[in-house]
Amino acid sequence: MNHFISFEGIDGCGKSTQLQLTAQWLRQKGHQVLTTRQPGGTDLGKEIRHLLLDERFSPIPETELLLFLADRTEHVKRVIQPALQRGEWVLCDRYTDSTFAYQLAARPLAEQDLLPLLHFAQLGYEPSQTMWLDLDVEQAMLRTQQREEQQNRLDKEKQSFHAAVLKGFQQRAQSHPQRMQRIDANGDSQTVQQRIRDLLI
Ligand code: TMP
């Protein structure tokens, strides 16, 4: 069985910290673990990430989607597929559920257009498990405002955009109850981490 775990949630939910803590724990248990992210998990993907998050640009929704998928297909083929074939655990910061939440729930794109493109870009690779860090929008926006690194184009979207993204994740969790685990992202990082470990044991 593949161990391909994605970490998902709205901006500021704490998923990147939780991914790193989970990787440390799995390594201590003796597993080979690859941590990676989307967008930006390859050299080319890092450039795509800059384009996507740069405030100088405001791509139309279709362009934004295609850039995320260009990053994904490069990443799946060059990084995720080889690591899974080597038998490693892959912990990926965002994957397909982000596309449904951001590009479908929060932007005016249609599911029938998205599905064949996702199929093409992901080569059939789906996470075996997804940790969805659930936090309310006000709290999450506060966290991104307090972060040291500068807010990017998507962090700076309106509250109503982030609320639509959150709704997108809620819908995905409802339609994929086996794969998607809802993690209460309230509390300090160790408390949240314990909730994740309890699900992975
Ligand atoms: P990050 O800061 O969590 O790495 O994510 C960068 C931004 O990209 C974040 O605002 C979510 C967004 N995103 C999408 O809109 N669609 C996608 O498919 C992915 C992977 C990320």
Side-chain angles (χ1 to χ4, degrees), residues 94-169:
R94 297 194 182 281
Y95 194 69
T96 197
D97 299 303
S98 280
T99 315
F100 278 89
Y102 285 80
Q103 277 68 54
L104 199 62
R107 302 268 193 233
L109 294 175
E111 189 160 5
Q112 76 263 22
D113 295 331
L114 179 66
L115 292 180
L117 294 173
L118 277 180
H119 182 74
F120 177 73
Q122 294 176 188
L123 314 168
Y125 280 89
E126 293 287 345
S128 47
Q129 234 176 332
T130 295
M131 300 294 159
W132 165 42
L133 280 293
D134 186 17
L135 191 67
D136 67 54
V137 173
E138 290 77 14
Q139 287 247 31
M141 287 183 83
L142 206 65
R143 285 193 194 174
T144 58
Q145 283 156 12
Q146 288 167 349
R147 265 202 308 239
E148 267 172 35
E149 73 197 71
Q150 236 196 330
Q151 285 192 293
N152 64 46
R153 179 176 69 83
L154 287 164
D155 293 329
K156 285 189 176 171
E157 285 278 2
K158 293 195 293 285
Q159 184 159 343
S160 58
F161 175 86
H162 293 290
V165 173
L166 179 59
K167 213 162 168 199
F169 282 122

